[in-house]
Amino acid sequence: MSAAAGRRSLGSRIGTLAIAFAVGVVYGTVATIGHRHAWEIGGVSIPWGLVAGLVGVAALLVGTRLVAGGRAAATAAAAGVVGIVAVLSLPGPGGSVLVADGVVGAIWAIGPAIISVLVVAWPSLPSREARRA
C-alpha cells in the first residue's frame, strides 16, 4: 500500500469501494448484453462481443487496481462484474436468458471470474522508491 493510500479517511475508502462496485455492475451489465455479438465472415462466426467484453473486464480491473492503488477497489469492481454476470445468467420470469447455453455463454459465464482472480491475485510490484533503496 502506498503512503497516500494509508492517509485516506474511512469515508474515502468506503466511497472508493462503492464506486468501484457500481462501475463493475454497470460494465458487467453492458458487456453481458453485448457478449453475443458476432461477425459472420465466410461462414465463420467471430465472437467480437465476447472478446471485447473479456478484454474490457481485464482493462477495468487492471485500471482500477492501478488507479486506486491496491487490491480492495479491484476486488469490489470484480465482485460487481462477477455478481451481475451470475445474476443475468439466471432465467428471467418468462424463462428468457441473456447468457444462452453454448460455448460463448459458458466462456462469458466463467471468463470474468477467472480474469478477476488473476488480476486481484497478481503480486504487487515494488515501487520505484523501494527499488532505488
Side-chain angles (χ1 to χ4, degrees):
M1 185 185 295
S2 68
R7 289 188 302 246
R8 290 189 290 187
S9 69
L10 178 63
S12 173
R13 287 182 280 174
I14 291 172
T16 299
L17 296 178
I19 290 171
F21 181 80
V23 169
V25 168
V26 169
Y27 183 79
T29 302
V30 171
T32 299
I33 292 169
H35 84 280
R36 300 285 301 175
H37 288 274
W39 284 322
E40 295 289 331
I41 300 174
V44 176
S45 179
I46 301 171
W48 69 268
L50 177 65
V51 172
L54 292 174
V55 168
V57 168
L60 170 69
L61 298 179
V62 169
T64 301
R65 184 165 172 187
L66 291 173
V67 170
R71 289 186 173 99
T75 302
V81 171
V82 173
I84 199 68
V85 168
V87 168
L88 294 177
S89 295
L90 299 171
S96 62
V97 293
L98 286 175
V99 181
D101 287 339
V103 174
V104 173
I107 292 171
W108 181 248
I110 63 171
I114 292 170
I115 292 169
S116 297
V117 168
L118 290 174
V119 170
V120 172
W122 197 266
S124 297
L125 298 175
S127 65
R128 287 186 142 173
E129 292 82 25
R131 283 185 276 175
R132 288 183 185 164

